[in-house]
Amino acid sequence: MNNSLAGTARLIGAGLRALLVLTAVCGVLYPLAVTGAAQALFPDKANGSEIRSDGEVVGSALIGQRYDLPKRNPADPEEAARPDLRWFQPRPSNGLGTNSVNTQYALILSGATNRAGDNEELIRWVTDAKRAVIDDNTAGGWTPKPSDVPPDAVTSSGSGLDPHISPRYAELQVHRVAEKNGLTVGRVGKLVADHTEGRTLGFIGEPRVNVLRLNIALRELTGG
């Protein structure tokens, strides 16, 4: 009996010592080592790829955001957001129309809409969105054609949080942004060209434009 109790006590003691050692190694030393290495080697990525403007963090290079006008009635939670057309606009966030589950790039609601290409609701959303894009970007005597509207202007990304748009969609907005800000089309077009990123390593992905970085450059250009 005594031998049995002594053996059990030794096993419990060994288990507790292993627990303490593993807790210290895996729960303290390893996270500290990984955090330290990340801060030393990749500080920007480790801190969330923050984008700063005038010394303040204004967003992340990895997460999209909207550029809307203030609400007419701040107390009305049902009031639809109205885009501020002075700025370049992102792609829709996880769905289209008033039935979208994520209209504000909310991180907790990330995900795709998962509707088939022949889904009637999706077709209606895309049709309505395309019409809105054409109406919003008719400016300076220029009216885009339906064929000018790229897919990313009327559909969300797989995560619904994509911070980028295609160069085609950015160029589609140039006339409107130029008119709203009192700039020439050429100057705004050059801004888009300067902020167009190529394929990663020259062959991965597609050319893209980070909307937040582009709008920061636009604000610096206009002094707004």
Side-chain angles (χ1 to χ4, degrees), residues 67 87-88 165 170 173 188 190-196 209-220:
Y67 304 86
W87 307 103
F88 286 93
I165 57 176
Q173 302 182 60
V188 178
K190 185 177 185 303
L191 202 64
V192 170
D194 290 344
H195 287 80
T196 298
V209 180
N210 186 288
V211 182
L212 176 55
R213 293 190 189 278
L214 181 60
N215 279 332
I216 290 173
L218 175 63
R219 189 181 70 174
E220 293 173 352

Side-chain angles (χ1 to χ4, degrees), residues 141-220:
W142 179 76
T143 301
K145 302 187 292 291
S147 58
D148 293 328
V149 181
D152 61 304
V154 295
T155 58
S156 65
S157 64
S159 68
L161 303 175
D162 192 350
H164 299 97
I165 57 176
S166 66
R168 277 186 64 198
Y169 187 27
E171 291 162 3
L172 178 68
Q173 302 182 60
V174 164
H175 286 79
R176 182 251 301 160
V177 171
E179 182 179 73
K180 296 291 184 181
N181 289 280
L183 299 170
T184 65
V185 171
R187 198 169 187 186
V188 178
K190 185 177 185 303
L191 202 64
V192 170
D194 290 344
H195 287 80
T196 298
E197 305 170 33
R199 292 179 173 87
T200 304
L201 300 179
F203 67 94
I204 300 175
E206 295 294 330
R208 58 204 178 275
V209 180
N210 186 288
V211 182
L212 176 55
R213 293 190 189 278
L214 181 60
N215 279 332
I216 290 173
L218 175 63
R219 189 181 70 174
E220 293 173 352

Side-chain angles (χ1 to χ4, degrees), residues 9 17 19 32 41 83-84 96 101-102 132 156 159-160 167 170 205 208 210 212 217 219:
R17 288 194 297 274
L19 174 63
L32 286 176
L41 300 174
D84 188 340
L96 304 167
V101 296
N102 184 9
S156 65
S159 68
R208 58 204 178 275
N210 186 288
L212 176 55
R219 189 181 70 174

Side-chain angles (χ1 to χ4, degrees), residues 4 29 77 83 132 192 202:
S4 177
L29 297 179
V192 170

